[in-house]
Amino acid sequence: MSKRTDQLHLGAFIYYAGHHHAGWRHPESGVEGMYDFDLYRSIAETAERGKFDMIFFADLLYVQHVDMAASGMLDPITLLSALAAVTKRIGLTATVSTTYNHPYNVARKFASLDYISKGRAGWNIVTSQLDIEAHNYGLPKHPDHALRYEMAEEFVEAVTRLWDSWEDDALVLDREAGIYADPGKVKAVDYRGKWFSSKGPLNVPRPPQGNPVLIQAGSSPQGQEFASRYGEVIFTAQQSLEAAKTFYAAVNGRLSGAGRKPGSLKIMPGISPILGSTVEEARRKERELTDLIPAELAVMALSGMVSHDLSAYPPDGPLPDIPDPVEKSNGMKSRVQLIMDTARTEGLSIRELGQRILGARGHLQYVGTPEGLADLMEQWFQEKACDGFNVMGPVLPGDLETFTDEVVPILQRRGLFRTEYSGTTLRDHLGLERAEAGHFGRRDAAKAGVNG
């Protein structure tokens, strides 16, 4: 197999005080600063020092189990806007739900962030997952999985049309003639869909990147189809090299059917590294974190994931035969499937499976040395299982600092990762073209039921 000539892409995925569910309890976590801007400025500066492509903030629209879990988070767009002022190159990306927002607001927020950051914004498109989110927005129930993707297609279509409502050269700024903008180059979009409508134009001119980078996080068949149309980055969860290679080939195989070029979509699975100077030291750290997870919490987490109450079963016994949880799930179907596959292939007990979920939420967890992690990342990259990784520090900020100081230099010495930024925008970092008007195409108007 010939070696790839491109380089890895890296995202720093920030989640509470660490991705491990018990990470906030670790003495080295920054949990006291979870609502303090200084913590996030420090994290962003670390990631930028490591030349990461982007920093990424998830967003959840609820709080749950506040007695046992870190819960609640700052609004990511507000936070990223502040971080734009104290960073220079790193991409600034965040989750915003298509189910509990309006396209005009989202188009405006990300266009504004792209201007504030001089072209470093990216939007992780999600459809949300739980009824408790619906309740916070006055709705009795979370929409069904298929319906959410139908709504999301309309939502993204409306957002991209709003970004296109100003032509690149619409601003005239002629003081003498008194002409601010060419009215012929600022046009209404008149988007009318089944779920969302917006007349437009947007009240922010066309963003510096044309469109902020679109990121997608679903790996179900519907998620893959959605990504083939709109996604420029996929954040995915894969537990093995072979599964990742199959996913990589499947998603890239859809691009030509969507009229897209090879390389226009970057696939970045999550990886949660627990590192030590020796494998034994790393395993000790893993045990320390696992021991902080109460058995009842592990059972509760798994019960929620598989939509079946497991509290009556022995926690150290196997997962019992239960109704198909993937079919029952109205949340992250691909993640539920991954958990069930793990249960079958590794023979984990209920407690162990629950702890696995709470350790990295279905993402790949690596326990070992920095050199060993670099080996794994290189193998996945070279064998076309991914284009890079979303690095999920189990305990933050320390684990991101360790990765930056000990793993990034190894990747750089091997020629797998940049030593300096060569561009200024997130699209530059990812090797993506600037988005021209109509960049994402237009759905068939009859099929979509829209005008414009």
Side-chain angles (χ1 to χ4, degrees):
M1 178 186 297
S2 59
K3 283 198 169 186
R4 295 177 64 160
T5 57
D6 54 340
Q7 290 185 319
L8 278 165
H9 299 287
L10 292 178
F13 186 175
I14 309 307
Y15 192 77
Y16 297 121
H19 282 269
H20 195 284
H21 191 84
W24 72 273
R25 297 182 61 190
H26 194 278
E28 296 177 6
S29 84
V31 66
E32 291 82 5
M34 264 183 56
Y35 305 103
D36 186 335
F37 176 70
D38 289 342
L39 172 66
Y40 300 105
R41 176 170 56 188
S42 172
I43 287 172
E45 288 171 348
T46 296
E48 189 164 61
R49 175 168 59 82
K51 314 303 178 189
F52 278 68
D53 293 63
M54 68 186 93
I55 189 170
F56 165 58
F57 287 93
D59 192 28
L60 300 175
L61 303 177
Y62 62 91
V63 294
Q64 192 177 38
H65 308 311
V66 295
D67 55 335
M68 296 184 289
S71 197
M73 50 182 58
L74 297 176
D75 174 75
I77 302 299
T78 304
L79 182 54
L80 288 175
S81 297
L83 289 173
V86 295
T87 57
K88 293 182 178 179
R89 294 292 186 90
I90 194 163
L92 304 169
T93 67
T95 292
V96 171
S97 171
T98 58
T99 307
Y100 301 112
N101 283 287
H102 190 278
Y104 196 92
N105 288 346
V106 171
R108 187 186 189 200
K109 287 176 186 291
F110 277 102
S112 299
L113 178 60
D114 212 42
Y115 271 103
I116 292 167
S117 65
K118 295 181 168 58
R120 295 186 280 141
W123 170 27
N124 180 42
I125 304 161
V126 303
T127 62
S128 297
Q129 54 184 308
L130 299 174
D131 283 347
I132 56 176
E133 295 174 281
H135 300 162
N136 287 336
Y137 287 84
L139 301 175
K141 186 178 182 298
H142 194 46
D144 289 339
H145 186 267
L147 176 58
R148 295 201 307 272
Y149 272 103
E150 181 184 326
M151 295 169 66
E153 281 214 23
E154 277 195 14
F155 196 108
V156 176
E157 183 77 14
V159 168
T160 57
R161 289 187 185 215
L162 286 164
W163 285 335
D164 288 348
S165 61
W166 291 63
E167 294 183 24
D168 284 324
D169 58 350
L171 288 174
V172 177
L173 306 181
D174 187 332
R175 290 180 172 89
E176 249 183 73
I179 301 173
Y180 177 75
D182 183 341
K185 296 182 178 182
V186 183
K187 300 176 182 177
V189 299
D190 290 321
Y191 183 86
R192 294 190 298 279
K194 181 178 179 182
W195 304 103
F196 301 104
S197 299
S198 184
K199 182 174 179 59
L202 192 63
N203 62 348
V204 180
R206 187 165 174 75
Q209 293 184 100
N211 294 170
V213 173
L214 295 189
I215 304 166
Q216 199 266 342
S219 299
S220 66
Q222 278 181 304
Q224 292 183 42
E225 182 62 28
F226 184 85
S228 73
R229 294 185 61 82
Y230 295 107
E232 297 178 289
V233 177
I234 292 185
F235 291 157
T236 180
Q238 304 294 332
Q239 283 288 335
S240 71
L241 175 62
E242 289 308 313
K245 289 167 68 173
T246 299
F247 179 80
Y248 187 92
V251 172
N252 277 284
R254 294 175 181 263
L255 292 181
S256 61
R260 296 180 57 183
K261 299 176 183 177
S264 62
L265 174 61
K266 309 298 180 182
I267 298 177
M268 299 174 64
I271 189 163
S272 185
I274 298 177
L275 299 173
S277 57
T278 64
V279 173
E280 291 71 24
E281 181 186 342
R283 287 176 178 163
R284 176 181 57 76
K285 289 181 178 181
E286 179 191 26
R287 286 193 299 272
E288 286 178 358
L289 285 168
T290 301
D291 288 346
L292 293 173
I293 299 175
E296 61 270 26
L297 187 58
V299 174
M300 187 188 304
L302 182 58
S303 296
M305 183 66 77
V306 301
S307 304
H308 190 90
D309 185 4
L310 300 170
S311 59
Y313 298 91
D316 293 315
L319 185 68
D321 290 331
I322 58 177
D324 183 3
V326 179
E327 185 67 28
K328 290 178 66 177
S329 173
N330 190 32
M332 302 172 71
K333 286 182 178 289
S334 59
R335 195 65 54 82
V336 175
Q337 184 65 64
L338 188 148
I339 292 298
M340 295 304 294
D341 291 344
T342 300
R344 296 186 186 105
T345 58
E346 298 188 32
L348 301 178
S349 69
I350 291 174
R351 184 205 305 265
E352 290 169 334
L353 195 56
Q355 289 173 333
R356 179 73 64 86
I357 292 169
L358 295 175
R361 301 191 327 283
H363 291 274
L364 180 65
Q365 187 176 76
Y366 172 84
V367 181
T369 64
E371 195 79 32
L373 177 56
D375 290 342
L376 181 149
M377 296 174 77
E378 180 171 13
Q379 182 183 17
W380 280 48
F381 179 66
Q382 294 293 359
E383 295 192 24
K384 294 187 177 179
C386 68
D387 297 301
F389 292 89
N390 221 7
V391 180
M392 304 164 53
V395 180
L396 292 171
D399 284 339
L400 180 62
E401 294 168 358
T402 299
F403 184 93
T404 297
D405 293 336
E406 299 186 24
V407 181
V408 167
I410 299 172
L411 298 174
Q412 291 172 330
R413 286 196 296 270
R414 297 183 186 185
L416 293 167
F417 191 61
R418 67 174 66 86
T419 56
E420 293 294 340
Y421 291 108
S422 58
T424 60
T425 71
L426 179 54
R427 288 185 176 277
D428 291 337
H429 305 339
L430 292 166
L432 298 172
E433 297 176 352
R434 184 180 186 275
E436 303 302 329
H439 179 73
F440 295 101
R442 296 288 180 249
R443 292 188 298 157
D444 178 79
K447 177 182 175 184
V450 300
N451 295 322

